Amino acid sequence: MDRRIVKDKLVKNSSALLLGFTLLVVVVIFIGLILKSQPLLESHPLGDILSKSVWAPMKGKFGFLPFILGTVWVTLIALLIAVPLCILAAVYLVEYAEDRLRNMVLPLVNVLAAIPPVLYGVWGVLFVVPVIRDVIAPFFGLQISGYSVFAGGMVLAVMIFPIMMSIMVEVIQTIPQELKAVSLSLGATKWETIQHVILKKARPGIIAAVVLAISRAFGETIAVLMVCGNIPKVPNSLFDTGYPIPALIANNFGEMMSIPLYDAALMFAALLLFIIIFGFNLISRLILNKLEAPH
């Protein structure tokens, strides 16, 4: 048999094996989390676990609603802050900025992505929390400590900004110049071309960037843990404290394991986070496939 054919089959089989191994890891993690969560699921109805807001492990009460909503609040705030800024900044860098400015800014953005999360947490404690406590909250007539889901969302927005920004810049740069030229030749202004041609064409890539950033936001732990307040109650406003699921796991894993069902509850928290991230990515992938499908 030709040596090239043998090499081709070897590469094909090796790639398939590695793909299967990757999928197997995901399945094993999922099954492992289910098995570890089983004691909690057997002793408490799933509906009560997800809908109850009382978290009292010593009394055998495990209500996950505060943690679920805390995660949702922080993530949504981060997205509301970061997504518009990233889109506008990416458009400016690609369509308006000079090459020198673009070549200077993009490496700095990549440096932000390399900063350890704990440093973002320290920045949040030293800067974001005092600003919320002394400036933003008093403006609304409130007196709070500053530790809140708003602080967590602001810190998280800065953390996901680099990855989202880098992908959006790359996506917008791939838009063919011919499309822009045709739009401008038909009388459209620069901004109209950006709105109706560039952003529309780049929409699948922009959505992919947002999805990737959300996946990171859902799992972020240390920085959010340091500024959210970590009180297990349902947030009702931007200035309420929150307790996201990753912070729950990081704060309590390894402690109080003598309490019945406590370890199973933390494993269920990990399972819940896994399902949320996996489900969100799956739905986003379906949306992207629909957007990318030929019409």
Side-chain angles (χ1 to χ4, degrees):
M1 185 179 293
D2 191 346
R3 182 179 297 178
R4 291 178 300 174
I5 297 176
V6 173
K7 288 183 177 179
D8 185 61
K9 287 188 175 181
L10 183 62
V11 171
K12 177 183 176 182
N13 294 333
S14 299
S15 300
L17 183 63
L18 291 173
L19 175 61
F21 179 75
T22 303
L23 296 176
L24 181 63
V25 169
V26 176
V27 173
V28 168
I29 292 174
F30 181 67
I31 294 175
L33 290 175
I34 290 178
L35 293 176
K36 290 292 185 179
S37 306
Q38 200 64 32
L40 179 68
L41 296 173
E42 290 176 351
S43 59
H44 293 72
L46 181 60
D48 288 349
I49 295 173
L50 297 177
S51 62
K52 299 293 184 181
S53 58
V54 178
W55 179 261
M58 297 290 290
K59 299 179 181 178
K61 296 181 179 180
F62 299 95
F64 275 84
L65 187 61
F67 308 108
I68 296 172
L69 293 182
T71 303
V72 171
W73 268 89
V74 171
T75 304
L76 287 179
I77 292 169
L79 289 176
L80 289 174
I81 296 172
V83 172
L85 289 177
C86 285
I87 293 175
L88 293 175
V91 167
Y92 176 79
L93 285 177
V94 176
E95 297 299 326
Y96 293 103
E98 298 178 354
D99 291 342
R100 184 174 62 180
L101 177 61
R102 182 164 54 249
N103 294 334
M104 180 179 67
V105 170
L106 288 178
L108 291 176
V109 171
N110 293 330
V111 168
L112 286 176
I115 295 177
V118 68
L119 295 185
Y120 283 106
V122 172
W123 170 73
V125 171
L126 297 180
F127 178 77
V128 177
V129 169
V131 168
I132 292 176
R133 180 188 64 219
D134 301 330
V135 180
I136 300 178
F139 179 80
F140 292 96
L142 301 173
Q143 295 294 326
I144 62 172
S145 65
Y147 293 92
S148 59
V149 290
F150 189 26
M154 291 180 68
V155 171
L156 197 56
V158 176
M159 293 184 68
I160 65 177
F161 188 90
I163 185 171
M164 202 185 305
M165 172 87 162
S166 298
I167 296 175
M168 288 183 181
V169 167
E170 291 182 9
V171 168
I172 294 175
Q173 284 178 331
T174 62
I175 305 300
Q177 291 292 331
E178 292 79 5
L179 288 177
K180 306 175 190 177
V182 169
S183 177
L184 293 172
S185 66
L186 292 175
T189 63
K190 180 81 169 180
W191 178 242
E192 288 173 340
T193 300
I194 290 171
Q195 281 182 292
H196 302 294
V197 177
I198 296 175
L199 291 181
K200 186 175 181 179
K201 187 70 176 176
R203 185 168 55 182
I206 291 174
I207 293 175
V210 174
V211 170
L212 195 60
I214 290 176
S215 297
R216 179 180 179 184
F218 273 129
E220 190 50 59
T221 305
I222 299 299
V224 175
L225 180 152
M226 295 172 69
V227 298
C228 271
N230 301 328
I231 297 176
K233 69 174 186 177
V234 176
N236 294 313
S237 75
L238 292 174
F239 302 106
D240 285 345
T241 56
Y243 207 159
I245 295 174
L248 169 69
I249 300 170
N251 256 347
N252 299 284
F253 196 79
E255 299 180 4
M256 299 190 294
M257 288 305 182
S258 60
I259 300 175
L261 299 180
Y262 198 83
D263 57 339
L266 293 182
M267 288 300 100
F268 179 78
L271 175 64
L272 196 59
L273 192 61
F274 182 93
I275 293 173
I276 290 173
I277 295 175
F278 183 82
F280 183 83
N281 278 273
L282 180 62
I283 293 171
S284 302
R285 185 67 257 175
L286 294 175
I287 294 173
L288 284 173
N289 288 341
K290 186 175 181 179
L291 290 174
E292 293 170 353
H295 297 285

